[in-house]
């Protein structure tokens, strides 16, 4: 029975958060196969009605970061019904299943065909990294989708066709699908970044390219249906403009995230836990885990399920500590993020991560140095050898990220803040730095270089790890990337 026949029509017209939450709860708790297109249409309709159809002229401009009064929404059943039928007939009408064999599993050709149907029905040119382009509602009413939205629509399209083996695979900046027996096959279904030729229809490479951060070294979040619902809820975007969120949209997103959390569907999804942490930091729910606990759970999930190959859980956590002036903890989180980086070679596909690290190293840390210099220094950072060790571990991780890559990461723009930062630490702290290098002939013997850097401090010492082998290299283009899964609409960019 398709999703719409299952839906409780008494809930319509949807006018408040509890009605939307009830519809999602019914779909998640009562159906063995939650209907992705139904849920994406509903939550996309709510988001659009509260963020896009507003008459800004009637609203005084909100202060920086304040929530705007979103007003009410009213989602009629017949609208959802019409859109739901439109999506199903678009897919069923464009794919002749007799061309794809009689296997109950999807084939690469079938997946590519569904991707083509979505791809070829998108508007010719629109700003790809604008906000509110992630839902099937956006696809059906505006023929616009961002890169994540295309991947979600392909999975929803395969669900309409009855191929429940096709599932979403997510890295920290890209999305693709797995399919076939045991989900053993992979395929690109959307684009990534700007100026890059799309690779739709191709399997995810197993070559050196797949060792880049973009493919998280073979450790993507492979979703089941419920985690796909979590990804569409996590992609809800409460932004009204660069400085204002619509509170109702954030509230709905937060409630749906807790519903999924309680059912265990965020357990293996670090970024969704991080997003929930961000929502809780802004608007804590009484009786729920704190945002700090959620950021910690995201880190634990990456360590437990993804061999600690994800960077963002540490940048979510470090950002939280920074905002709360917990500077020592922030430095430790960022150093932990850099430890993840060591495994990767920097490639042109890693622009988003590069921007994150630039901001940490060249804006946030200099801000900390100014703050502690003027006395706001609960931990007396500049006298603490463990903080110095975290800072060195951060930079060493970035250097190792660069090592073995065709294109450099660091440049003078990095070096100036680094020199200033190191100089701020007490001479007595810096004097405790002990660097013991493995001797030369041993180094010749193994192509792997190994250095140990430690800062002897009272309780602990921190050290950097193995270096990658020299032969790992990448090509590097000049294309820029953008994180289409963006929380705030970027400026004009095609
Ligand atoms: C610590 C940060 C800088 C803050 N927000 C971050 N985000 C990273 C990306 N976000 C995400 N949150 C949930 N799921 C996904 S799947 C995905 C890749 C895309 F291509 F599909 C991205 C992403 C949410 C926002 S990382």
């Amino acid at each position: 029975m398709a999703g719409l026949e299952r839906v409780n029509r008494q809930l319509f017209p949807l006018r408040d958060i509890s009605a939307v939450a009830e519809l999602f709860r019914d779909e998640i708790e009562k159906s063995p196969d939650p209907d992705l297109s139904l849920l994406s249409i509903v939550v996309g309709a709510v988001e659009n009605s509260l963020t896009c159809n507003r008459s800004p002229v009637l609203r005084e401009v909100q202060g920086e970061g304040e929530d705007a009064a979103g007003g009410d929404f009213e989602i009629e059943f017949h609208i959802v019904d019409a859109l739901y039928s439109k999506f199903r007939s678009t897919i069923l009408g464009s794919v002749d299943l007799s061309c794809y064999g009689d296997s109950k599993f999807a084939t690469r050709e079938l997946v590519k065909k569904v991707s083509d149907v979505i791809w070829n029905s998108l508007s010719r040119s629109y700003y790809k990294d604008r906000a509110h382009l992630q839902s099937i509602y956006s696809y059906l009413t505006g023929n616009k989708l961002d890169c994540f939205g295309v991947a979600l629509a392909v999975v929803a399209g395969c669900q309409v066709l009855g191929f429940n083996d096709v599932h979403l695979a997510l890295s920290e900046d890209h999305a693709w699908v797995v399919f076939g027996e045991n989900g053993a096959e992979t395929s690109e279904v959307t684009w990534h970044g700007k100026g890059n030729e799309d690779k739709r229809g191709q399997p995810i490479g197993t070559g050196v390219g797949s060792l880049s951060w973009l493919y998280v070294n073979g450790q993507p979040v492979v979703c089941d249906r419920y985690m796909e619902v979590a990804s569409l809820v996590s992609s809800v975007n409460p932004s009204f403009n660069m400085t204002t969120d619509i509170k109702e949209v954030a509230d709905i997103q937060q409630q749906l995230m807790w519903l999924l959390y309680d059912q265990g569907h965020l357990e293996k999804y670090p970024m969704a836990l991080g997003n929930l942490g961000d929502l809780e930091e802004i608007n804590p729910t009484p009786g729920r885990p704190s945002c700090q606990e959620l950021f910690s759970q995201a880190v634990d999930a990456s360590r437990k399920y993804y061999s600690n190959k994800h960077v963002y859980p540490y940048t979510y956590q470090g950002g939280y500590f920074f905002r709360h002036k917990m500077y020592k903890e922030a430095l430790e989180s960022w150093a932990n993020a850099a430890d993840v980086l060591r495994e990767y070679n920097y490639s042109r596909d890693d622009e988003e991560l590069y921007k994150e690290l630039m901001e940490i190293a060249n804006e946030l840390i200099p801000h900390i140095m100014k703050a502690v210099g003027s006395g706001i220094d609960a931990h007396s950072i500049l006298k603490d050898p463990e903080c110095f060790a975290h800072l060195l571990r951060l930079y060493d991780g970035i250097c190792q990220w660069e090592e073995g890559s065709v294109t450099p990461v660091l440049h003078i723009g990095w070096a100036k803040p680094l020199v200033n930062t190191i100089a701020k630490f007490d001479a007595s702290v810096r004097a405790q730095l002990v660097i013991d290098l493995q001797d030369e002939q041993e180094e010749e013997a193994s192509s792997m270089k190994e250095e140990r850097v430690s800062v002897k401090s009272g309780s602990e010492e921190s050290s950097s790890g193995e270096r990658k082998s020299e032969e790992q290299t990448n090509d590097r283009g000049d294309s820029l990337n953008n994180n289409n899964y963006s929380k705030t609409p970027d400026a004009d960019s095609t």
Side-chain angles (χ1 to χ4, degrees), residues 22-56:
E22 194 56 40
L23 188 146
F24 268 73
R25 183 187 299 279
D26 286 351
E27 198 54 26
I28 290 166
E29 290 180 352
K30 294 178 187 163
S31 159
D33 187 34
D35 192 313
L36 297 177
S37 57
L38 170 66
L39 297 176
S40 185
I41 288 166
V42 166
V43 80
V46 172
E47 175 177 326
N48 266 269
S49 72
L50 290 174
T51 61
C52 303
N53 302 343
R54 311 207 40 69
S55 44

Side-chain angles (χ1 to χ4, degrees), residues 148 170-171 173-175 234 269 271 275 312 315-316 356 485:
F148 164 80
L170 302 170
S171 75
D173 192 39
H174 191 30
S234 201
Y269 196 165
M271 286 185 288
N275 288 339
Y312 280 160
T315 51
Y316 271 111
E356 281 306 313
Y485 198 118

Side-chain angles (χ1 to χ4, degrees), residues 270-271 273-275 277-278 281 290-301 303 308 310-337 356 360 364 393:
M271 286 185 288
L273 289 166
N275 288 339
D278 280 347
E281 181 182 355
S290 71
C291 59
Q292 187 168 339
E293 282 165 53
L294 290 164
F295 293 129
S296 183
Q297 286 176 22
V299 165
D300 293 342
R303 288 173 175 171
N308 196 33
H310 295 188
V311 177
Y312 280 160
Y314 296 109
T315 51
Y316 271 111
Q317 188 181 54
Y320 167 80
F321 286 137
F322 173 80
R323 290 187 292 272
H324 293 257
K325 302 186 178 2
M326 298 163 76
Y327 296 137
K328 179 170 184 178
E329 293 81 354
L331 286 168
E332 182 167 14
S333 295
W334 292 332
N336 290 340
E356 281 306 313
I360 290 166
L364 303 186
R393 194 154 57 92

Side-chain angles (χ1 to χ4, degrees), residues 208 211 341-347 350 395-410 443 446-451 464-474:
V208 73
L211 294 182
L341 270 183
R342 297 176 187 287
E343 324 277 322
Y344 293 126
N345 279 337
Y346 178 63
S347 96
D350 299 337
Y395 272 96
D396 187 58
I398 297 173
C399 292
Q400 199 171 330
W401 186 32
E402 174 173 29
E403 204 165 294
S405 308
V406 172
T407 316
V409 173
L410 300 168
E443 196 171 305
S446 72
S447 64
M448 308 289 281
K449 273 192 283 172
E450 182 180 280
E451 259 174 34
S464 67
E466 302 270 328
R467 298 230 178 286
K468 289 174 296 224
S469 64
E470 299 306 319
E471 52 269 13
Q472 274 178 325
T473 55
N474 289 79

Side-chain angles (χ1 to χ4, degrees), residues 35 50 53 57 72 119 135 140 149 224 237 255 257 267 275 292 315 332 334 336 362 377 387 418 426 432 436 457 482:
D35 192 313
L50 290 174
N53 302 343
V57 72
D72 295 330
W119 187 266
S135 73
L140 294 168
D224 60 18
N237 189 338
Q255 273 210 35
M257 296 284 270
E267 168 71 17
N275 288 339
Q292 187 168 339
T315 51
E332 182 167 14
W334 292 332
N336 290 340
N362 303 336
D377 186 8
C387 291
L418 169 57
D426 255 31
Q432 291 175 53
D436 54 328
S457 68
N482 54 66

